[in-house]
Amino acid sequence: MIDKTISTEAARRFYDRLGKGHDWAEFYESRAKSVALARLALAPGQHVLNLGVGTGKEHHRLQTAIRPGGLAFGLDLSPVMLRLAYQRTAAPLCRADVRRPPYAPASFDRLFSAYVLDLIPQADLIGLLAGCRRLLKPGGRLVLVSLTEGTNAPSRLLVGLWKLVYKASPIACGGCRPVQLAGLVHQAGFPHVEREVVVQLGVPSEVIVAE
């Protein structure tokens, strides 16, 4: 797995500039996100945390699935993304680093994060995932989506090209690089971990489900 990522400040600037343009990624992300949202097994009354709300499209789906009585909290590093997400959801959102979420232990039934952990340095991932485990209530569920390694010839070719671009300029890829999280999730203390790879337009994404 590639260790190098862009800095926190570079990521904030990139996604502030990207703004609503981030929605264009749905062309190759939407299928994996739909699989992940289904695997969350959401129900009315649950408390959910979304680590990295982006423009708020998935957050709105989270809100709808846990009504009535549920609450969907979210955080993001980018003030622009937070503003866009709030306009779509009016949800309780805060500006924070996903490695330091400002919530009490055992606060959530579900944790969700899509295409965020592939921006986090490898050295920080186990600590972040262990923090997610602390935030979950007993029996809670974590679902992650990230760019990953290819599983067939087209996706392996695309990821190979992605890595070449990333090596030349990580910011050209938005700081995202292919990761494989299942083993790290196990190391962070989750005893039951499932992994599925979804390929859309040649782009491979992994969906991790942990309880």
Side-chain angles (χ1 to χ4, degrees):
M1 185 162 68
I2 299 171
D3 294 334
K4 181 182 177 183
T5 62
I6 60 177
S7 70
T8 299
E9 180 59 20
R12 182 199 62 76
R13 291 195 303 267
F14 179 87
Y15 288 97
D16 276 350
R17 289 195 304 271
L18 188 59
K20 288 184 179 180
H22 195 30
D23 285 340
W24 284 96
E26 292 298 298
F27 283 111
Y28 59 87
E29 295 180 351
S30 61
R31 193 175 301 161
K33 287 179 178 178
S34 292
V35 169
L37 290 167
R39 295 301 307 274
L40 274 171
L42 297 169
Q46 290 177 335
H47 283 194
V48 181
L49 175 61
N50 185 0
L51 298 172
V53 296
T55 64
K57 293 183 74 173
E58 288 74 46
H59 206 73
H60 183 264
R61 294 172 69 178
L62 296 175
Q63 283 185 315
T64 301
I66 59 176
R67 289 173 179 161
L71 284 173
F73 296 81
L75 60 81
D76 207 287
L77 196 63
S78 163
V80 172
M81 292 299 172
L82 287 169
R83 175 174 53 80
L84 293 170
Y86 187 79
Q87 289 171 352
R88 275 183 163 145
T89 65
L93 307 175
C94 71
R95 185 182 178 192
D97 191 312
V98 294
R99 290 165 288 192
R100 293 177 288 276
Y103 304 101
S107 294
F108 300 100
D109 302 289
R110 300 288 187 267
L111 262 68
F112 174 74
S113 186
Y115 300 102
V116 174
L117 270 64
D118 39 20
L119 282 86
I120 302 298
Q122 185 175 359
D124 295 343
L125 284 173
I126 291 182
L128 186 160
L129 292 164
C132 289
R133 185 172 179 269
R134 288 191 294 271
L135 289 174
L136 283 169
K137 298 176 182 179
R141 179 174 292 192
L142 170 72
V143 178
L144 308 170
V145 189
S146 63
L147 181 68
T148 194
E149 299 290 344
T151 56
N152 55 23
S155 61
R156 285 193 292 268
L157 175 61
L158 189 145
V159 168
L161 293 172
W162 189 293
K163 288 178 178 179
L164 287 175
V165 175
Y166 191 96
K167 184 177 180 180
S169 174
I171 197 68
C173 300
C176 296
R177 85 286 193 201
V179 296
Q180 293 179 299
L181 296 175
L184 298 177
V185 175
H186 267 301
Q187 292 180 50
F190 288 90
H192 181 69
V193 181
E194 299 177 12
R195 180 178 187 264
E196 177 181 354
V197 177
V198 179
V199 179
Q200 184 175 356
L201 295 181
V203 179
S205 300
E206 68 175 1
V207 178
I208 300 291
V209 182
E211 296 182 346

